[in-house]
Each structure stands twice: as C-alpha cells, then as structure tokens.
Amino acid sequence: MVSSLSRLLRPAHLALTFLTTLPLPHVREVGEGEFARASGFYPLAGYAVGGGAALVWAACQWLHLPPGVGAALAVAAWLALTGMLHFDGLVDAADALFAMKSPAERLRILGDVHVGAFGLATGVIALLIRFSLLQALPNAWPLLIAAVSARLAVLAPMNLYPAARAESLGARSREGWWPVACLVALPALFFPQAWAGFAAALLSALGVAAFAARRLGGGINGDVYGACIEVAELSALTVLVTLAGWPK
C-alpha cells in the first residue's frame, strides 16, 4: 500500500517541481522512466498555475481594481507560477522555427540562450493576447480550465512525434501516463463549455507540433512543448471567453 502510494506521489511531486515554482522540496535524483510517469500529472500543475492566477484575478475583482490592473496582475501571477518555463519555450521556439535556415541550423538556434526578433515579437504578441483575454473574462473559471487543458493537450504531440534530441529532458518525458493525466484533468472539464476549450487547446497543440516537426526535420523538443502549452492556453481562453452562457 505504501509503495503504491509512493509510486503515485513521487511523479506528482516531480511534475509540480518541474512545471511550477511552488515551494516544494526538489527531487534530487530522478530514476529511469520517472519523467515519463510525471507527465501523467502535468494537469495537476495546471490546477496550481490556473488556480493561482484565478485567485489573483478574483481578488482584483473583489477589490474593484481597474480591469487592466487585474489582468496584468493575473498575467504576472501566471508567469511567476510557471517560472516562465513555457513562455521561454515559446520565445526560443519562435526564434528557431521562423528562421529561414536548415533544420540542423534551427536545432542549433533552439539551444541558443539569446533572444532574436522572432522570439521577441512572438512573446510580446502572446502577452498582449493573454492580457486582453484576461480583461474580458466573465469569471475566473476559464483560467483554471485553460491551464489544465493545455497541460493535458501537450501529451498528444509529446507522444505522437519523436524527440528532436534523443538524450534530452523532453525525450525522457515522452510515452508517459496519459490515462492518469486524463483522470487528473477530468474535474476541470466538468462544465460542457470546458470541452470546447480543451478541443481548442488540443488542436492548437497539435498544430504547433506539426509545424515544428516540419521545420526541425521530424522531431520536436522541450521548447516546442512549451510553445504548445502557451498557444493551447491562449486558444482555450479565447474559446472560453467568447462562449455565451458560462456559469456565473
């Protein structure tokens, strides 16, 4: 019983420490296959990130702060809770994927820590879209739904496409516990409208991955996973914000 519980808690712990900045003890040694098992708990990190941003947004509403201020603080909370991990992946991926280079050169650019014009422009646009969507939120629920949906949706391209680098962290995270991820995400998809948000997240993640795979010679990496999550979140938020009849 204890070993079975530990088998579940350890990958959940690893997922939270990897995908969030929650003040949890870090896992010092990661065994074979543990990153893959941790991917089954990516939606759990979505609850932490989306829930935290939703609380900030709701607090700003309660304090009657201007909508722009509340949206900006919620965006800041979102970035802080992720340590900008996925945002950094989006920026790095944009620099590489939009460059008019060979697949091998694009892979080299992915490993470059410097930010170019493509990455800067993409990052600014993504932040502007997120800020605008958070200004238009009917309530805090879309924040939670989008964060969980995106971290469930990213498992599809992770398992459909090979890793661009065989020994990378992204490669070690593939072929994980996707049925567990579905179960973890299920409560967030309780409302009928949430399924539309998840569908948008899934299609967006697959679209980003397909584009990246063509540009990188067939495989994708951790930066692309981050880009998939960022775009999936924005797509889910867009659908959820525009849907009529969301529960108040």
Side-chain angles (χ1 to χ4, degrees):
M1 180 67 178
V2 174
S3 62
S4 298
L5 184 61
S6 175
R7 183 173 169 81
L8 287 175
L9 291 180
R10 185 172 169 84
H13 181 191
L14 182 58
L16 288 173
T17 55
F18 180 47
L19 297 184
T20 77
T21 56
L22 294 177
L24 298 171
H26 284 281
V27 180
R28 295 183 179 180
E29 294 184 6
V30 180
E32 182 71 24
E34 285 196 299
F35 270 114
R37 290 192 290 273
S39 67
F41 293 93
Y42 283 4
L44 182 62
Y47 285 105
V49 173
L55 286 174
V56 170
W57 184 90
C60 291
Q61 301 299 304
W62 183 74
L63 293 170
H64 300 290
L65 296 179
V69 175
L73 290 175
V75 170
W78 205 309
L79 293 174
L81 285 165
T82 61
M84 300 195 190
L85 176 66
H86 313 311
F87 183 75
D88 179 68
L90 174 69
V91 171
D92 288 345
D95 270 333
L97 300 180
F98 293 137
M100 300 303 292
K101 304 288 185 179
S102 66
E105 184 64 15
R106 292 191 187 107
L107 283 172
R108 186 198 66 77
I109 295 173
L110 277 175
D112 192 340
V113 297
H114 299 93
V115 177
F118 291 127
L120 178 61
T122 301
V124 169
I125 291 170
L127 289 176
L128 285 173
I129 293 173
R130 189 182 295 270
F131 171 77
S132 300
L133 288 168
L134 266 58
Q135 273 192 299
L137 285 179
N139 53 56
W141 282 110
L143 288 168
L144 181 68
I145 303 305
V148 174
S149 295
R151 285 156 185 79
L152 175 61
V154 74
L155 295 183
M158 281 178 63
N159 289 285
L160 284 173
Y161 292 92
R165 295 189 177 95
E167 300 302 321
S168 65
L169 184 58
R172 294 168 62 190
S173 302
R174 296 180 67 252
E175 300 178 359
W177 285 354
W178 64 264
V180 173
C182 292
L183 289 175
V184 173
L186 192 59
L189 304 178
F190 176 80
F191 295 107
Q193 295 90 338
W195 289 98
F198 171 69
L202 180 60
L203 291 174
S204 298
L206 290 172
V208 170
F211 174 73
R214 287 198 303 270
R215 303 288 280 179
L216 297 175
I220 58 178
N221 75 336
D223 286 327
V224 176
Y225 299 161
C228 288
I229 290 175
E230 285 286 320
V231 175
E233 284 179 338
L234 295 179
S235 298
L237 278 173
T238 300
V239 169
L240 296 173
V241 166
T242 55
L243 278 177
W246 188 266
K248 299 294 185 181

